[in-house]
Amino acid sequence: MQTKIITRQLSVIAASLAGAAVLSGCIAAPLIVGGAAATTASVATDRRTAGTIVSDEVVEKRLSYEIDQVLGKAPHHITVTAYEGKVLLSGETTSLESRSQAEQTAMKSLDVTGVVNEIAVMDPASVTTRFSDSLLATKVRTSIIGNGKISLNQMKVVVERGIVYLMGLVTAEEAQNAAHTASMVSGVQKVVTCFTIATAEEIAERMKNVESSKTESTDAAE
């Protein structure tokens, strides 16, 4: 059985960050994309600054709390994943109203620059399903680590009900490799990519800024 690969476009609600690349549109499987290959140096470290990494973690925790507060006792299981302020909402809720409320909450939340709403309208997944998804996510991450052409450091992997979601900043070739690698893992039902696509040159320039920010932080600490 061929695993379907889908590319999602973020609903941008604020200006893109400096150096951010053009977002891919929605494409049904098979995913065929082109682009320059990334160099080894371009995939060696996280492409976000230390400040952005911390900010994303704060967004995930804060937004999860905000959504729980808004939905209250309405049955739901929603996962918030952030990458450079762009947010993926995945999981389940039992009504379209709750799904919309979660998205609106995310769009209004501090430091959120875009939202992909992948929340399914259905009963929340069971504990058994979530455990299975956790194991599958580990298998997908391990497969990506084993692929010498891409780096797990450049992306986040989320699994809901056997559906794999990939977020990060990558070249078109890296996006294709990551999606294909994930689709080949046993148990994966579908792969949805929410990547920001950049050229190798754009990423190289970005990494200069990342390294510069590290140097400044080190100098400040001293």
Side-chain angles (χ1 to χ4, degrees):
M1 181 181 68
Q2 183 177 10
T3 302
K4 181 180 289 187
I5 301 174
I6 299 174
T7 302
R8 293 293 190 224
Q9 181 173 0
L10 291 166
S11 299
V12 178
I13 59 175
S16 299
L17 298 176
V22 177
L23 295 171
S24 299
C26 296
I27 305 174
L31 177 66
I32 302 176
V33 290
T39 64
T40 301
S42 72
V43 297
T45 60
D46 198 306
R47 290 165 184 168
R48 299 170 295 169
T49 63
T52 300
I53 293 172
V54 172
S55 177
D56 285 341
E57 293 175 351
V58 171
V59 166
E60 290 176 350
K61 291 179 174 61
R62 185 186 64 243
L63 184 51
S64 293
Y65 173 78
E66 291 173 347
I67 290 174
D68 282 341
Q69 291 298 107
V70 169
L71 297 188
K73 295 182 179 180
H76 66 279
H77 158 241
I78 296 175
T79 302
V80 177
T81 309
Y83 195 96
E84 290 199 317
K86 302 174 181 73
V87 167
L88 165 68
L89 300 178
S90 57
E92 311 84 30
T93 189
T94 54
S95 71
L96 285 171
E97 180 182 7
S98 292
R99 184 180 190 273
S100 178
Q101 286 178 325
E103 180 175 348
Q104 291 301 315
T105 300
M107 292 176 69
K108 296 175 183 177
S109 191
L110 183 66
D111 295 328
V112 173
T113 61
V115 179
V116 172
N117 190 349
E118 287 290 315
I119 301 171
V121 179
M122 59 186 294
D123 289 334
S126 66
V127 173
T128 301
T129 298
R130 295 182 202 178
F131 180 69
S132 177
D133 286 339
S134 179
L135 292 178
L136 185 56
T138 299
K139 290 169 62 178
V140 171
R141 294 186 184 104
T142 300
S143 293
I144 290 174
I145 290 172
N147 185 329
K149 297 181 179 180
I150 50 178
S151 171
L152 185 61
N153 238 17
Q154 319 312 331
M155 63 194 74
K156 292 186 176 182
V157 178
V158 181
V159 179
E160 307 279 4
R161 306 178 311 281
I163 303 172
V164 176
Y165 298 93
L166 302 174
M167 287 189 79
L169 174 68
V170 297
T171 64
E173 184 173 355
E174 288 171 332
Q176 180 177 344
N177 280 327
H180 177 71
T181 299
S183 71
M184 297 301 291
V185 175
S186 176
V188 172
Q189 303 300 311
K190 181 170 66 175
V191 178
V192 178
T193 64
C194 307
F195 287 127
T196 297
I197 304 298
T199 65
E201 291 74 20
E202 288 171 330
I203 290 175
E205 184 62 31
R206 170 184 285 257
M207 292 308 297
K208 291 180 182 178
N209 296 330
V210 170
E211 291 302 319
S212 176
S213 69
K214 289 181 181 178
T215 302
E216 292 174 359
S217 296
T218 301
D219 292 343
E222 294 175 352

